[in-house]
Structures are given as C-alpha cells and as structure tokens.
Amino acid sequence: GLELVAAGDDPAAALQAFDRETKASLSRGAEPTTIGGLPAVRASAVARTREGPIALDFTWIAYAGQIYRVTGMTRPDALDAMRPVEVYLSP
C-alpha cells in the first residue's frame, strides 16, 4: 500500500518517527537509497500474526515536501525476493 505519512524531506526521520510510534527498531537495519532520483530509506521486518509470520517491507520516499510510505507484505521465505521497484512520480 501507499500512504502519505508526514510533511518533510527526510525519509530517515519518518522512519525514526515510525519506530517511536510502534516501538519497532527498523532504523537499525534501514538502507538509504534513491527511487526515481528521490531520497528514500528501506527497511524490512517479520511480524508474528495468528496465521503465522508475515514479512513486511517498508520504503519511505520524500517527494514535494511530503513523505510517503510504501508497504509490501509476503511470506518470510520470499522476503529476499522482494526488490524495490522504480517509482515514477510526476509533479
């Protein structure tokens, strides 16, 4: 899914805010990157659910003064196969 999560231009700060809100520690394993020339940061985690573990892949992207979060879910054994895709945003 795609969500608008904050105003700003620092995706790492948005990730740190997510860590504080959820008491997660995704920042430790985060990977700074660029997507479509835009600053971004990516992190992954495995969450336990009633149906079993689910792998989550998060990418925070800064664009036009806003931070967006893209969230993907898969089986834990398929997490390594998840690759960031090129995202094209037009003004």
Side-chain angles (χ1 to χ4, degrees), residues 56-75:
L56 301 167
D57 186 82
F58 301 99
T59 304
W60 286 263
I61 305 167
Y63 175 69
Q66 302 292 329
I67 306 293
Y68 298 86
R69 183 177 64 227
V70 178
T71 305
M73 292 183 279
T74 190
R75 298 178 324 273

Side-chain angles (χ1 to χ4, degrees), residues 5-67:
V5 294
D9 59 4
D10 183 358
L15 167 54
Q16 291 166 357
F18 179 83
D19 276 355
R20 285 190 301 275
E21 288 174 26
T22 62
K23 303 203 183 335
S25 55
L26 296 176
S27 296
R28 283 188 233 151
E31 304 169 18
T33 188
T34 58
I35 297 180
L38 302 171
V41 65
R42 181 173 178 241
S44 300
V46 175
R48 299 188 198 289
T49 71
R50 283 185 235 155
E51 292 79 30
I54 293 178
L56 301 167
D57 186 82
F58 301 99
T59 304
W60 286 263
I61 305 167
Y63 175 69
Q66 302 292 329
I67 306 293

